[in-house]
Amino acid sequence: MRREEEQKIIERIKKGETSLYESLVNQHSPKIIAVIRGVVGNNEEAEELAQDVFVKAFFSLDKFRGDSSFATWLFRIAYNLAISQTRKKRLSFVEIDKIASTSFLSDNQEESEAFEREKRYILLTRMLNEINPEDRFLLLLFYYQEKSIKEIAEITGKGESNIKVTLHRIKKRLAAMAETKMEVSYG
């Protein structure tokens, strides 16, 4: 849905056509849930928080000025709720099951490559779970949701240069973590 169409729907909702809000929820909920899930590490909690995001957005719709896209505004609400939730509960993030300790020997090159990809995926997931929720949220917005630096700045309320520097530092930290974990695994 284009921004202009969305703005017209929002104006109609503000005037009392509240049933139209469902179309906005349906359009944006998969991305909102995905980003929140990345922060809290739990599907059920992510869905509950996403519901909270949409309820809060509905009751705050009169405050939406349209300076940014509706999606950016929703991501800002999601960001604030998810970070607040993780700080409040000090959640321990879901850890992917450990690789079986039995050795994997295969003459089949494809199976061996698939196994290495799976190990890298598990390593990346563990590393993401080790960084703070705010950093994880930034990475998810930038890489998974493909938001621009400007959009992330609008969502988080931080400056664009701050976002660039933070993303750079997170990537460096993840690279160092990966190197250390690879040395431990293979060394």
Side-chain angles (χ1 to χ4, degrees), residues 156-171:
T156 61
K158 297 177 180 179
E160 289 181 39
S161 58
N162 184 318
I163 298 297
K164 289 177 188 176
V165 168
T166 303
L167 283 171
H168 178 71
R169 288 180 180 159
I170 297 167
K171 288 187 279 187

Side-chain angles (χ1 to χ4, degrees), residues 136-165:
R136 188 169 37 258
F137 193 87
L138 291 177
L139 286 174
L140 291 169
L141 286 175
F142 189 72
Y143 290 106
Y144 182 72
Q145 296 295 331
E146 298 179 352
K147 297 290 180 191
S148 69
I149 298 293
K150 182 179 179 183
E151 289 172 310
I152 295 171
E154 289 174 13
I155 290 166
T156 61
K158 297 177 180 179
E160 289 181 39
S161 58
N162 184 318
I163 298 297
K164 289 177 188 176
V165 168

Side-chain angles (χ1 to χ4, degrees), residues 15 20 43-44 51 59-60 63 75 92 98 105 120 127 130-131 133 138 148 153 160 175 187:
K15 291 178 182 173
L20 292 174
N43 281 338
E44 290 174 10
Q51 287 176 2
F59 287 110
S60 301
K63 295 176 186 168
F75 276 116
S92 59
K98 293 181 179 174
L105 298 173
R120 284 193 302 271
M127 289 185 325
E130 290 176 19
I131 65 175
L138 291 177
S148 69
E160 289 181 39

Side-chain angles (χ1 to χ4, degrees), residues 64-117:
F64 177 68
R65 298 182 313 261
D67 296 339
S68 63
S69 71
F70 185 67
T72 298
W73 189 65
L74 284 175
F75 276 116
R76 179 159 182 96
I77 295 170
Y79 169 79
N80 290 332
L81 284 176
I83 297 305
S84 172
Q85 182 72 5
T86 57
R87 285 181 181 153
K88 201 182 323 176
K89 287 186 150 188
R90 303 277 182 212
L91 294 175
S92 59
F93 292 94
V94 177
E95 190 173 316
I96 294 186
D97 292 334
K98 293 181 179 174
I99 300 171
S101 60
T102 58
S103 64
F104 178 79
L105 298 173
S106 173
D107 291 331
N108 185 332
Q109 183 65 27
E110 277 184 34
E111 286 180 21
S112 182
E113 288 173 5
F115 180 71
E116 286 301 316
R117 276 193 306 275

